């Protein structure tokens, strides 16, 4: 349970305001940035092909290996490195979900390490597990691999997998596995304030939202 009230401003500072639709245009990204400033969120998250962007006052995140995770690790590392060179300060990478399903956690570890090496230690690395497609055991083991590889966050979902997005149960499991040493990002299908509140209470420290305004409108202003 959070130790302070979940005000609109507090929740906004946990949000990655996200636009990852394949049909997104530069004009859409400009609108995303303008809305992000208006909402007072922490970061925007975009596809790497949309970089560079002018987003002063906001943290810029980009994805790598998105959305399938079935890219060669070296491709993920190169994609992430290029995104950083073009202004991204955070990278949200997708693991090889099939490797996790098969129980090959060494492959998961190597995949994450390759991206970490590609972007260096100064960039925040979030590792997308696609939790709806994994067993509880696999979720925990992938969290351990992410920590060993030097990631900063573990993240539930891309939001594009047919198995579904974030659940409070998965967030709770991830938070327990990382024990506060890494952040936990809940993403995928969070469309209401009640859903966001449930994720935060389960242990999420960051939220990936596309319908951010509707979510934040469900939280009261401070005071």
């Amino acid at each position: 349970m959070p130790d302070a009230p979940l005000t609109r401003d507090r929740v906004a500072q946990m949000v990655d305001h996200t636009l990852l639709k394949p049909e997104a245009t530069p004009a859409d990204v400009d609108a995303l940035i303008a809305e992000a400033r208006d909402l007072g969120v922490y970061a925007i998250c975009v596809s790497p092909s949309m970089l560079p962007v002018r987003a002063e006052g906001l943290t810029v995140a980009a994805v790598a290996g998105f959305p399938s995770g079935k890219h060669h690790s070296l491709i993920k590392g190169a994609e992430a490195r290029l995104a950083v060179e073009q202004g991204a300060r955070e990278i949200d990478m997708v693991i090889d979900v099939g490797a996790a399903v098969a129980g090959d956690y060494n492959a998961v570890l190597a995949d994450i390490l390759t991206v970490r090496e590609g972007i260096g230690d100064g960039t925040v690395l979030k590792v997308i597990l696609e939790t709806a497609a994994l067993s509880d055991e696999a979720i925990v083991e992938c969290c351990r691999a992410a920590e060993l590889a030097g990631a900063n966050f573990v993240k539930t979902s891309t939001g594009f997998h047919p198995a579904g997005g974030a659940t409070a149960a998965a967030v709770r499991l991830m938070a327990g596995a990382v024990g506060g040493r890494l952040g936990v990002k809940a993403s995928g299908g969070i469309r209401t304030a009640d859903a966001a509140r449930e994720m935060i209470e389960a242990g999420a420290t960051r939220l990936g939202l596309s319908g951010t305004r509707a979510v934040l409108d469900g939280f009261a202003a401070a005071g």
Side-chain angles (χ1 to χ4, degrees):
M1 193 75 175
D3 57 5
L6 287 176
T7 63
R8 181 188 176 100
D9 287 348
R10 182 179 173 218
V11 175
Q13 278 299 298
M14 301 172 70
V15 172
D16 291 355
H17 189 41
T18 301
L19 176 63
L20 296 169
K21 293 179 179 179
E23 66 271 25
T25 66
D28 293 330
V29 174
D30 289 343
L32 178 85
I33 293 167
E35 186 175 42
R37 289 198 178 108
D38 182 54
L39 293 171
V41 300
Y42 178 75
I44 60 165
C45 184
V46 297
S47 301
S49 60
M50 307 311 294
L51 300 174
V53 297
R54 293 180 60 85
E56 291 83 359
L58 294 164
T59 296
V60 176
V63 292
F66 196 92
S68 72
K70 285 296 188 185
H71 309 65
H72 194 288
S73 296
L74 292 174
I75 298 298
K76 292 182 192 178
E79 182 178 39
R81 182 174 64 251
L82 179 59
V84 171
E85 289 172 354
Q86 293 187 320
R89 292 294 169 261
E90 301 189 351
I91 296 294
D92 291 34
M93 68 161 287
V94 188
I95 64 166
D96 182 339
V97 182
V101 169
D104 190 354
Y105 305 117
N106 285 333
V108 174
L109 174 63
D111 192 37
I112 303 168
L113 275 170
T114 301
V115 176
R116 170 50 81 197
E117 290 169 0
I119 61 177
D121 294 333
T123 301
V124 170
L125 177 60
K126 309 188 201 96
V127 177
I128 306 172
L129 307 184
E130 213 67 276
T131 51
L134 300 180
S135 67
D136 286 359
E137 177 188 357
I139 292 170
V140 170
E141 291 296 332
C142 288
C143 286
R144 290 173 178 164
E147 185 171 3
L148 282 171
N152 304 97
F153 282 80
V154 286
K155 176 178 170 182
T156 58
S157 323
T158 61
F160 285 76
H161 199 285
T167 66
V171 170
R172 199 170 292 113
L173 191 62
M174 295 160 70
V178 301
R181 297 177 299 276
L182 278 65
V184 177
K185 180 176 172 180
S187 185
I190 304 169
R191 298 184 179 92
T192 66
D194 284 345
R197 186 177 291 106
E198 184 181 25
M199 299 302 166
I200 296 167
E201 290 176 350
T205 58
R206 192 83 70 90
L207 301 172
L209 307 176
S210 54
T212 306
R213 188 178 297 277
V215 172
L216 293 180
D217 281 348
F219 290 93

